[in-house]
Amino acid sequence: MTRNELKQLWFNLDYSNVKERKQIIVETNYGHVEIRQEGPDGFSTFKTNQGKGDACVDHGIYQKLEKPEYELIIDGTIVK
């Protein structure tokens, strides 16, 4: 199978039965903040490095305030 055939298969996957999930995932050990969305319309993800510790937590909280429909997860713990 060629690279182009694999790419076409990837972009033509059926997402109609995928449960909608919107998450902001913060990993303080690495300083990563990831914004992830999955659902029937497909998926998207964005990951950035905000520095270790409080800086990435602050950015995750800021993103949660901007996107209240998203679930905030800090180091594997869901924050309400």
Side-chain angles (χ1 to χ4, degrees):
M1 185 173 286
T2 67
R3 181 179 186 274
N4 202 33
E5 289 171 331
L6 284 171
K7 184 172 73 171
Q8 289 303 315
L9 281 172
W10 178 258
F11 287 119
N12 291 319
L13 289 174
D14 180 22
Y15 286 96
S16 62
N17 59 352
V18 174
K19 182 180 171 188
E20 188 166 343
R21 185 168 53 168
K22 297 179 178 185
Q23 298 174 321
I24 300 167
I25 302 169
V26 178
E27 298 172 327
T28 57
N29 289 341
Y30 305 104
H32 295 163
V33 177
E34 182 176 5
I35 301 167
R36 183 187 301 171
Q37 177 180 353
E38 299 177 27
D41 297 328
F43 72 94
S44 68
T45 185
F46 173 78
K47 192 171 193 175
T48 181
N49 189 325
Q50 295 295 318
K52 294 181 181 179
D54 291 341
C56 65
V57 173
D58 290 345
H59 187 70
I61 291 170
Y62 173 77
Q63 290 297 321
K64 172 68 174 169
L65 293 173
E66 292 288 312
K67 300 171 175 68
E69 70 276 11
Y70 281 64
E71 180 178 53
L72 178 61
I73 302 171
I74 300 176
D75 291 333
T77 303
I78 297 173
V79 178
K80 300 283 181 179

